[in-house]
Amino acid sequence: MVQKKKIIIGNWKMYFNVHEASLYLHKLSKLVKIHHDVEVVLAPTILTLQSISLQVKYRQFKLAAQNFYWRDEGPYTGEVSATQLRGVVQYALVGHSERRHFFNESDKEIRNKVEAAVRNNIRPVLCIGETLWERTSGETYDVLHNQLIGGLANITSSDLCKVVIAYEPVGSIGTGHTAPPNDVAAAVRAIRSQIEHLYGSEAAKSISVLYGGSITLESAADYLVVPGIDGLLVGGASLDAIMFSQIVQKAHKGKISSNEV
Ligand code: PGA
């Protein structure tokens, strides 16, 4: 099987104005080397995407939207569509827990967004994960199951290769409490087995699954070696150019050492 690229996404959330984003990118471009085995993706705010897209070298970085509306165009004040983002971004986050929880995004909207991204040639990064309460009540696998079924309902087998899954336990996002790597490994096994059930074993092996939630420079390597993890979705730590570039470097080095054994 072709070796999958590691994917490292920096989610800037609602940080950086246009000027700060530009300075950050200038700094990051000097720090991050182009590696054929690591795809580095930046997710700025919708406001800064346009200016960043003019400054970025797409060989070095890909861009992601943090959010978009699923219809292609129309009278939807305040919204931006995947059609309008086409050509500017290569990826888009969909169903991030902050969208599910603060903006009440439903599975129906999420599946429409996943479909809209694919329709517009953008790779959706479908974010799923249980809350702390769901984990302690033993509902983790049911939640993952439902979010996968809900999010992928409009995706055919031939389009699944465009989708990336990000597993982010909600209790780990922005809290400094990373999930134990063993729990992450078990969750990723459950995700792949659900994909196998829906789309077959080849699809289950080839889909990229990322981990996200309070990743730091210190913890990045622990998650990059979790079996079945193909990369990281980094929030807070991605706002520090030096730290983020070193996380990228770890993804590259991890690949070298696992190829050597
Ligand atoms: P965090 O965010 O790394 O700050 O926890 C991760 C995310 O929201 O995707």
Side-chain angles (χ1 to χ4, degrees):
M1 202 176 82
V2 197
Q3 274 275 6
K4 275 186 269 179
K5 274 190 180 194
K6 292 274 184 219
I7 302 174
I8 306 292
I9 305 180
N11 176 9
W12 300 358
K13 307 198 180 187
M14 204 171 69
Y15 295 100
F16 293 159
N17 62 28
V18 171
H19 181 62
E20 290 162 340
S22 169
L23 289 179
Y24 172 94
L25 180 59
H26 183 71
K27 187 168 176 190
L28 192 71
S29 333
K30 294 194 166 151
L31 294 166
V32 170
K33 295 200 185 69
I34 299 174
H35 298 300
H36 68 278
D37 58 353
V38 186
E39 178 116 301
V40 184
V41 184
L42 308 176
T45 64
I46 216 83
L47 172 70
T48 50
L49 256 177
Q50 173 66 13
S51 55
I52 287 291
S53 75
L54 301 175
Q55 188 183 337
V56 81
K57 290 192 208 81
Y58 281 104
R59 270 188 65 229
Q60 188 175 24
F61 302 112
K62 302 289 185 266
L63 295 182
Q66 294 178 18
N67 183 41
F68 59 92
Y69 187 50
W70 61 271
R71 290 187 197 271
D72 288 342
E73 64 174 13
Y76 304 104
T77 303
E79 295 299 319
V80 173
S81 72
T83 309
Q84 293 167 322
L85 289 164
R86 200 185 167 116
V88 176
V89 301
Q90 294 69 45
Y91 290 81
L93 305 184
V94 179
H96 188 282
S97 83
E98 286 154 12
R99 300 234 36 106
R100 291 180 193 260
H101 297 115
F102 298 134
F103 301 97
N104 298 320
E105 261 183 31
S106 65
D107 277 336
K108 183 163 182 282
E109 272 173 88
I110 289 167
R111 87 172 59 116
N112 284 337
K113 288 185 182 194
V114 171
E115 186 187 12
V118 168
R119 182 169 70 238
N120 285 287
N121 217 10
I122 293 170
R123 296 190 74 184
V125 180
L126 173 62
C127 303
I128 60 173
E130 77 289 358
T131 63
L132 205 51
W133 187 85
E134 287 160 345
R135 172 159 285 274
T136 45
S137 333
E139 290 173 21
T140 299
Y141 300 128
D142 290 340
V143 171
L144 297 180
H145 172 96
N146 291 340
Q147 290 180 344
L148 276 174
I149 301 246
L152 296 175
N154 297 343
I155 293 301
T156 60
S157 308
S158 58
D159 282 336
L160 187 76
C161 58
K162 297 169 191 150
V163 177
V164 175
I165 306 288
Y167 170 59
E168 300 200 291
V170 178
S172 296
I173 298 180
T175 58
H177 301 298
T178 43
N182 281 346
D183 289 357
V184 173
V188 172
R189 274 198 303 278
I191 290 168
R192 289 196 191 276
S193 100
Q194 180 65 30
I195 298 284
E196 178 168 1
H197 180 72
L198 295 170
Y199 296 96
S201 60
E202 268 317 304
K205 273 188 239 146
S206 52
I207 193 161
S208 290
V209 181
L210 317 183
Y211 169 75
S214 294
I215 287 289
T216 58
L217 179 55
E218 292 68 36
S219 65
D222 298 343
Y223 292 94
L224 285 164
V225 297
V226 167
I229 285 290
D230 303 304
L232 304 171
L233 176 48
V234 186
S238 75
L239 301 175
D240 180 317
I242 295 181
M243 208 183 294
F244 187 63
S245 66
Q246 290 176 353
I247 292 175
V248 171
Q249 192 59 22
K250 282 191 186 220
H252 171 60
K253 281 203 181 133
K255 202 77 165 226
I256 293 176
S257 48
S258 64
N259 282 345
E260 278 168 357
V261 288

